[in-house]
């Protein structure tokens, strides 16, 4: 049965035969895959036998193996650990089933491969591979021998290297010990160095605080004071502080250096005192610029003064007193000469004849007086004009006396006042700031010290300023000029506050105490002069013209000047004085108007005077005048209303009375209407001529004429309404349009 299966199987694919090239077999040294080798091994064990002969009965027991085959089989059976001849057909069948489960064997069986032939090919292939390996080994024998010698040589070299490394390791152990020793020594030396540095630092400070180089001593004792001298002195001052701070310590060097430092202190103090005293005396030399000297010398060497303040109080006190005495004389002398020079430049001084209530002939010196030239040189003491520029200009500068004398210029006293006091506060500000910075050591007490020294220096100068202001205003009756000085003084006080110079507060307050009482006194004189004029019968009787009186113009200009100067200040004293002045003027104008026998002329006199006041107030164009302007306008409006009635009464009195008395008889209404129709044109002409005669001011006359004619239209319109209500028809009245057309002809009369 087995033979039948073997005979009927197809031949397997051939494997490489022995006829292939040796090179190809030599290069193919890879073993077959693991699964394939196991299958072939099992197949060899199964089929490694000689060809069997078939019996007729195909009995398996009749197969007799040869001797050689038996040996090989037993040998391979030993290798496989089982006896091939002892297995049964069932086991063979199981083996074949196992082979069929193998992927390679299963594929071979399915393809009809001859397993014996394939086994012989595999065996041949193994022999070829073995032969190729042997040939290859024979060819590479010399290389293996050379490699062996090289390995032995390397072993020798590595042996010597091992000896060197052992010696090196021993040396490293010794070096490690030495490094550890060096580290300990370095740590010890580091501690010693740190201690020595600490000692050196302290010792250096001590030496620096005590040791004085010889060149420093020579410079301080023999050299002139300069910047290097100052730097050396500051260094010595630090050493003195060090010695003083450590004098309780038991250091012999401190006791040795103490006397030497004391000698240097006395010598340096004497040199500093002489240096500053000589420089202070040089300030009194004519044409010396004190501010430059203060900045370039005194403040530059301020450290010297600080030294004597700390080390020698007597020398510091002598320097301070010398400075106070010198600057006290300097400022007093210069400002006294300046004030005298300014007083020579003043214009003609006002007097009592420059009051509002003084008659014109008295101001001119009387009929035979000789004051005409003096009056010609006087300015208008009532009008402000451009005098306010002394307040508005930011920095008009100061008056130089010698330049003004050469040009023969004259100035009003408020200009002189401003120039003197502006110069004074400029110098005072510079001086105070210098004193504050130079003479004080303690910042907390610097302000008090500076103020005290400043007062000692400037006290005589302040007296000169007060005397100058008093001389300017004592004989002056110019209230406008005095008020300008008050405003200038206020501005200077604000400037001192901005500069943070409080030392002149007393001076500016004292100037105010001089100016305000004099201003109030002059205002009282103006008011009293108007009262005297109102009670002077000769003055009142002299009023013959209905045109504005000169008193009115004086009042208008004077009040405007005072009110403009009060803008932004709102002084109650000034406002009260202006109201008193206005009340006196109203009373005076009323007394003067009573001198006219005709009522119309009285009213026209008042209208002309109040119209002049309104015009002057309006020209000022200042909000401070608005209240007074409104008051005068109300009075003017009342007077114009009175004049309208008075002017219409002679011509249309009956009509007016009729309008006012609506209950008149019808016959009287007819008569009035008839009379109006006959005379109204001529009456308008008469009114126009009358107004032209009374008023010389075109604008004011036109206003009054328009008021008169307008009121006539009102009265006549009311009269026509009354006629219509009463049913009067006997007389045909003149139409209102006809009257208005006629009135328009008189509008351009002025």
């Amino acid at each position: 049965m087995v033979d039948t299966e073997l005979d009927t199987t197809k031949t397997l694919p051939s494997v490489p035969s022995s006829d292939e090239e040796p090179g190809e077999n030599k290069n193919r040294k890879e073993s077959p895959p693991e699964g394939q080798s196991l299958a072939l091994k099992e197949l060899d064990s199964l089929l490694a036998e000689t060809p069997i002969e078939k019996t007729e009965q195909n009995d398996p027991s009749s197969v007799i193996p040869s001797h050689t085959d038996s040996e090989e089989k037993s040998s391979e059976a030993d290798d496989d650990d089982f006896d091939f001849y002892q297995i049964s057909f069932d086991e063979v069948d199981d083996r074949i089933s196992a082979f069929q489960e193998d992927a390679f064997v299963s594929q071979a069986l399915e393809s009809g491969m001859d397993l014996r032939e394939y086994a012989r090919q595999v065996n041949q292939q193994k022999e070829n591979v073995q032969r190729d390996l042997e040939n290859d080994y024979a060819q590479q024998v010399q290389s293996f021998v050379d490699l062996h010698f090289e390995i032995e040589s390397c072993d020798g070299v590595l042996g010597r290297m091992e000896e060197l490394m052992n010696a090196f390791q021993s040396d490293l152990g010794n070096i490690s010990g030495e490094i550890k020793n060096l580290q300990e020594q370095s740590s010890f030396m580091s501690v010693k160095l740190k201690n020595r540095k600490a000692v050196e630092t302290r010792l250096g400070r001590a030496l620096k605080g005590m040791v004085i180089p010889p060149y420093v001593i020579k410079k301080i004792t023999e050299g002139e004071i300069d910047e290097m001298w100052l730097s050396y002195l500051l260094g010595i001052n630090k050493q003195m502080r060090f010695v003083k701070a450590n004098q309780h310590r038991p250091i012999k060097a401190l006791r040795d250096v103490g006397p030497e430092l004391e000698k240097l202190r006395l010598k340096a103090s004497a040199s500093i005192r002489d240096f500053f005293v000589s420089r202070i005396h040089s300030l009194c030399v004519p044409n010396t610029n004190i501010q430059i000297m203060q900045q370039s010398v005194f403040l530059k060497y301020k450290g010297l003064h600080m030294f004597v303040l700390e080390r020698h109080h007597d020398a510091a006190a002598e320097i301070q007193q010398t400075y106070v005495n010198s600057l006290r004389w300097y400022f007093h002398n210069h400002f006294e000469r300046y004030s005298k020079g300014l007083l020579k430049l003043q214009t003609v001084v006002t007097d009592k004849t420059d009051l509002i209530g003084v008659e014109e002939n008295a101001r001119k010196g009387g009929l035979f007086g000789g004051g005409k030239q003096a009056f010609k040189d006087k300015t208008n003491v009532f009008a402000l004009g451009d005098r306010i520029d002394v307040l508005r200009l930011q920095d008009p500068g100061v008056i130089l006396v010698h330049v003004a004398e050469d040009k023969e210029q004259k100035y009003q006293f408020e200009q002189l006042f401003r120039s003197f006091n502006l110069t004074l506060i400029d110098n005072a500000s510079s001086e105070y700031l210098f004193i504050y910075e130079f003479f004080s050591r303690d910042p907390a007490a610097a302000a008090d010290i500076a103020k005290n020294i400043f007062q000692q220096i400037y006290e005589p100068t302040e007296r000169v300023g007060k005397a100058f202001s008093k001389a300017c205003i004592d004989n002056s009756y110019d209230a406008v000029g005095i008020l300008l000085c008050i405003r200038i003084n206020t501005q200077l006080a604000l400037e001192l506050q901005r500069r943070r110079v409080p030392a002149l507060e007393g001076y500016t307050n004292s100037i105010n105490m001089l100016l305000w009482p004099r201003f109030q006194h002059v205002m009282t004189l103006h008011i009293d002069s108007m009262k005297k004029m109102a009670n002077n019968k000769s003055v009142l009787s002299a009023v013959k013209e209905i045109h504005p009186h000169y008193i009115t113009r004086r009042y208008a200009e004077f009040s405007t000047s005072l009110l403009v100067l009060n803008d932004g200040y709102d002084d109650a004293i000034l406002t009260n004085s202006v109201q008193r002045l206005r009340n006196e003027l109203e009373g005076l104008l009323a007394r003067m108007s009573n001198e006219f026998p005709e009522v119309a002329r009285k009213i026209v006199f008042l209208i002309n005077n109040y119209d002049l006041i309104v015009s002057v107030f309006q020209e000022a164009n200042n909000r401070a005048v608005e209240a007074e302007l409104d008051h005068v306008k109300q009075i003017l409006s009342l007077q114009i209303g009175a004049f309208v009635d008075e002017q219409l009464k002679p011509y249309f009195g009956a009509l007016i009375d009729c309008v006012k008395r609506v209950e008149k008889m019808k016959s009287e209404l007819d008569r009035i209407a008839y009379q109006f129709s006959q005379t109204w044109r001529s009456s308008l002409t008469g009114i126009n001529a009358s107004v032209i005669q009374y008023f010389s001011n075109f604008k004011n006359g036109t206003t009054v004429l328009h008021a008169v004619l307008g009121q006539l239209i009102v009265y006549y319109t009311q009269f026509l309404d009354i006629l219509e209500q009463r049913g009067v028809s006997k007389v045909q009245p003149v139409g209102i349009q006809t009257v208005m057309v006629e009135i328009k002809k008189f509008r351009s009369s002025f």
Side-chain angles (χ1 to χ4, degrees), residues 383-571:
L384 182 60
D386 57 357
R387 297 175 71 179
I388 197 173
D389 291 343
V390 75
L391 295 177
R392 291 177 177 172
L393 295 179
Q394 296 297 324
D395 188 14
V398 297
I399 299 173
L400 301 178
V401 176
H402 62 281
V403 175
E405 289 178 347
D406 293 340
K407 296 181 179 180
E408 297 181 356
Q409 292 177 332
K410 295 294 182 179
Y411 299 91
Q412 295 170 350
F413 76 93
E414 68 267 13
Q415 294 174 307
L416 305 178
F417 176 87
R418 183 188 186 281
S419 180
F420 178 87
N421 286 281
L422 182 60
T423 305
L424 188 143
I425 71 162
D426 284 344
N427 284 270
S429 300
S430 176
E431 186 62 27
Y432 176 83
L433 296 176
F434 167 76
I435 293 171
Y436 185 92
E437 185 175 357
F438 184 77
F439 283 99
S440 56
R441 271 182 57 201
D442 185 10
D448 295 335
I449 295 174
K451 190 173 183 179
N452 183 33
I453 297 175
F454 178 85
Q455 291 298 333
Q456 295 180 38
I457 294 174
Y458 251 78
E459 184 180 0
T461 306
E462 291 180 4
R463 290 199 298 267
V464 172
K466 296 175 185 177
F468 172 77
S469 301
K470 187 175 178 61
C472 288
I473 64 174
D474 268 355
N475 298 322
S476 175
Y477 293 84
D478 184 4
V480 175
I482 297 174
L483 186 57
L484 281 170
C485 291
I486 293 174
R487 300 304 182 222
I488 291 170
N489 189 62
T490 302
Q491 288 185 350
L492 295 179
L494 294 175
E495 179 65 18
L496 287 172
Q497 291 180 5
R498 187 186 67 82
R499 297 179 183 181
R500 298 182 180 180
V501 179
L504 283 179
E505 289 181 358
Y507 173 75
T508 55
N509 292 334
S510 63
I511 295 298
N512 269 334
M513 296 300 294
L514 286 174
L515 296 175
W516 272 112
R518 182 61 187 176
F519 173 77
Q520 293 176 341
H521 176 68
V522 175
M523 288 297 297
T524 302
L525 293 178
H526 280 292
I527 295 171
D528 292 342
S529 68
M530 295 181 69
K531 289 181 179 179
K532 291 179 182 179
M533 179 173 282
N535 296 323
N536 192 337
K537 294 183 179 181
S538 61
V539 174
L540 298 178
S541 61
V543 179
K544 303 297 182 181
E545 300 292 335
I546 59 175
H547 301 300
H549 199 272
Y550 60 84
I551 293 294
T552 304
R553 177 167 290 277
R554 291 181 189 175
Y555 162 79
E557 293 177 346
F558 186 61
S559 298
T560 302
S561 301
L562 298 180
L563 292 172
V564 169
L565 291 177
N566 198 34
D567 186 17
Y569 297 93
D570 300 328
D571 288 326

Side-chain angles (χ1 to χ4, degrees), residues 217-234:
I217 298 175
K218 183 176 182 181
K219 179 67 176 178
I220 295 296
T221 55
E222 301 177 5
E224 295 182 356
I225 294 179
D226 52 16
E227 295 182 4
M228 184 177 293
W229 199 93
L230 174 61
S231 64
Y232 289 164
L233 180 68
L234 295 178

Side-chain angles (χ1 to χ4, degrees), residues 137-153:
Y137 179 78
Q139 293 175 1
Q140 298 294 333
V141 168
Q142 186 62 39
S143 299
F144 291 152
V145 173
D146 295 338
L147 179 61
H148 176 71
F149 289 146
E150 291 178 1
I151 290 173
E152 290 181 349
S153 175

